[in-house]
């Protein structure tokens, strides 16, 4: 997987966390940078750990499905991308919970919820030639950046940009999946 694809994957994986961060930021009167950064670091750390767990799961099974690896990665990424697009386009998706406070526990639970797709991507990455440590680090860094920005932008942009970001992330994931399939078929 080339560096551009890894960076696109990292930012695609951060869009659901970005959408959640906008919602959380919208509930704060004046989000401070350090509060936004703290939330970004929590999300980024969890989002970096989950593809590692998924990769370990995928590596365990890789010897059984080596010939089909590019198809597995393709279907996982396109499926996740389609789900993200669906969630972003679903009517009435003002779904980001607006808590009364941003306790570390609630932030962690939200981060785990938005990182499930990164676990599945980690499984898919186990079947292709990629350095999982670099991929996980990029996913964590992109998520830290996007969540920090999302919290700070939350008051002004609301959920509209969050849903568009999720659609863009879904399209990007599907594109990365198609690229993986195309490079392995030809």
């Amino acid at each position: 997987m080339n560096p551009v694809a890894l960076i696109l994957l990292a930012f695609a994986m951060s869009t659901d966390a970005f959408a959640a961060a906008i919602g959380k930021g919208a509930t704060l009167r004046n989000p401070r940078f350090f509060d936004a950064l703290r939330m970004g670091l929590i999300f980024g750390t969890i989002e970096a750990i989950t593809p590692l767990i998924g990769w370990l799961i995928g590596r365990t099974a890789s010897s059984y499905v080596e010939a089909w690896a590019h198809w597995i990665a393709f279907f996982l990424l396109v499926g996740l991308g389609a789900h993200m697009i669906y969630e972003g386009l679903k009517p009435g998706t003002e779904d980001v919970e607006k808590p009364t406070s941003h306790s570390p526990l609630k932030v962690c639970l939200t981060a785990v919820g938005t990182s499930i797709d990164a676990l599945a991507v980690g499984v898919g990455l186990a079947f292709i030639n990629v350095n999982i440590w670099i991929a996980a680090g990029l996913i964590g860094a992109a998520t830290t950046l996007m969540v920090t920005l999302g919290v700070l932008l939350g008051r002004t942009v609301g959920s509209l940009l969050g849903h568009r970001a999720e659609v863009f992330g879904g399209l990007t994931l599907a594109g990365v999946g198609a690229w993986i399939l195309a490079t392995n078929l030809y």
Side-chain angles (χ1 to χ4, degrees):
M1 185 175 252
N2 70 38
V4 172
L6 276 176
I7 290 169
L8 289 174
L9 175 69
F11 278 100
M13 297 311 308
S14 70
T15 58
D16 53 349
F18 178 67
I22 288 173
K24 291 203 175 286
T27 65
L28 298 174
R29 180 165 286 157
N30 286 314
R32 294 181 320 188
F33 175 75
F34 289 107
D35 293 330
L37 181 61
R38 176 183 62 94
M39 193 178 300
L41 288 169
I42 291 170
F43 271 78
T45 300
I46 292 172
E47 195 87 19
I49 291 170
T50 53
L52 292 171
I53 294 168
W55 184 84
L56 288 171
I57 293 167
R59 286 311 265 185
T60 303
S62 69
S63 62
Y64 301 107
V65 291
E66 197 73 42
W68 300 95
H70 53 280
W71 285 102
I72 293 168
F74 169 75
F75 283 114
L76 280 172
L77 292 173
V78 169
L80 287 168
H83 178 71
M84 288 174 71
I85 293 167
Y86 170 76
E87 289 296 319
L89 295 175
K90 190 166 52 172
T93 51
E94 308 288 331
D95 61 337
V96 180
E97 183 180 287
K98 295 185 177 190
T100 57
S101 67
H102 297 310
S103 72
L105 178 61
K106 287 182 181 180
V107 172
C108 286
L109 291 175
T110 306
V112 168
T114 62
S115 69
I116 298 302
D117 55 347
L119 182 102
V121 166
V123 171
L125 292 176
F127 300 115
I128 60 174
N129 185 23
V130 66
N131 182 325
I132 190 60
W133 297 104
I134 292 173
L138 286 172
I139 290 169
T143 302
T144 299
L145 174 66
M146 294 299 286
V147 168
T148 302
L149 290 174
V151 170
L152 294 173
L153 293 172
R155 286 294 293 164
T156 57
V157 297
S159 64
L160 180 63
L161 180 60
H163 297 303
R164 288 188 179 163
E166 194 161 16
V167 170
F168 175 75
L171 290 171
T172 303
L173 270 185
V176 170
W179 177 83
I180 288 170
L181 183 63
T183 59
N184 283 285
L185 290 179
Y186 301 106

